[in-house]
Amino acid sequence: MERVVRRAKAVSLADGESLFQQGDTATRFYLVVKGHIKLFRLAPDGNEKIIELVDAGHTFAEALMFLEQPRFPVGAVALGETELISIDAADFSAILRDSVDLCMALLGDMSFRLRSLIREIDDLSLHSATCRVAAFILSRAPEHCDDFELDIPKHVIASRISVKPETFSRIIKSLKSKNILEIRGSKVRLLDREALEDAADVCGLPVEAT
């Protein structure tokens, strides 16, 4: 840990500020301390597809340290004021060579992410947009509180779960008409958590659950 800290750097980003671009050389990976990071890819026509939303307490881009001449396959942009710790990938890779336990822990984390991606492919191909919206909202809801702030823009959520913004809005209106869910600005109120859970259960675990 002391060796990692010596080579680590603190990074602060404003809302909408880029951390790196798709195709940039990857020499470091990151831990989000505060805020959110949006990982996205750009289609040839310029459309953006959000691949992942990384919350505080989670790392990203560490798998690239195992590749020769790695480049970031996605771009990364801050959502809100964001603070990160930047870690030297080459030095961390050298540390792994001396620690079997650390290697196993990292492999376990990567395996969990792979299972999550496979589950997400199932969700996108087999389940409805309403199911995905319900699952995402529940994944952000505190366990014992039905009122909370959703600090991610609605169009970002729509891209993340692969629905059009207008479809997302229509689903939210439908859930409100059924007295299940209400969203005003960034404020969310779960009117019937059980009904929302029933809708999300079709997808299995919430899409962002960790």
Side-chain angles (χ1 to χ4, degrees):
M1 182 61 71
E2 291 176 356
R3 179 174 170 179
V4 171
V5 169
R6 282 198 303 270
R7 291 178 174 265
K9 298 179 180 179
V11 179
S12 296
L13 299 176
D15 181 34
E17 188 174 354
S18 175
L19 177 63
F20 54 75
Q21 300 288 335
Q22 182 176 324
D24 285 354
T25 301
T27 60
R28 307 184 74 85
F29 65 94
Y30 302 88
L31 167 67
V32 181
V33 177
K34 173 186 175 184
H36 312 276
I37 287 289
K38 175 180 71 175
L39 302 180
F40 65 95
R41 286 183 61 85
L42 290 176
D45 61 4
N47 287 330
E48 178 183 287
K49 167 55 185 167
I50 296 176
I51 304 300
E52 189 172 359
L53 298 174
V54 187
D55 298 328
H58 294 274
T59 58
F60 61 98
E62 62 268 42
L64 297 176
M65 77 175 85
F66 300 111
L67 303 177
E68 292 185 9
Q69 300 179 336
R71 294 185 179 274
F72 291 114
V74 296
V77 169
L79 291 177
E81 299 290 329
T82 301
E83 297 177 4
L84 309 101
I85 295 175
S86 167
I87 300 169
D88 186 303
D91 188 60
F92 195 86
S93 179
I95 294 174
L96 288 176
R97 293 186 177 93
D98 298 325
S99 175
V100 174
D101 289 342
L102 189 55
C103 285
M104 295 304 294
L106 188 59
L107 282 172
D109 181 69
M110 290 180 178
S111 297
F112 179 85
R113 293 188 191 183
L114 178 61
R115 291 197 301 272
S116 296
L117 288 172
I118 292 172
R119 185 177 65 239
E120 184 176 336
I121 291 171
D122 284 342
D123 291 346
L124 292 174
S125 59
L126 301 176
H127 303 303
S128 71
T130 298
C131 164
R132 301 200 299 274
V133 170
F136 186 92
I137 296 297
L138 276 174
S139 74
R140 298 281 163 168
E143 186 175 354
H144 301 295
C145 181
D146 291 336
D147 294 274
F148 60 97
E149 293 276 342
L150 189 63
D151 57 351
I152 298 173
K154 295 181 180 64
H155 71 277
V156 172
I157 298 173
S159 177
R160 177 65 187 90
I161 60 177
S162 297
V163 300
K164 294 181 178 180
E166 56 269 27
T167 301
F168 181 84
S169 297
R170 187 164 59 249
I171 291 170
I172 295 300
K173 289 180 180 177
S174 175
L175 293 173
K176 181 180 178 181
S177 70
K178 297 174 182 177
N179 292 317
I180 295 175
L181 170 73
E182 183 178 49
I183 298 181
R184 294 179 180 271
S186 63
K187 297 184 182 299
V188 179
R189 171 168 290 180
L190 303 186
L191 304 174
D192 189 337
R193 183 185 286 260
E194 185 175 346
L196 193 64
E197 289 173 346
D198 287 342
D201 279 345
V202 179
C203 292
L205 294 175
V207 293
E208 293 290 331
T210 55

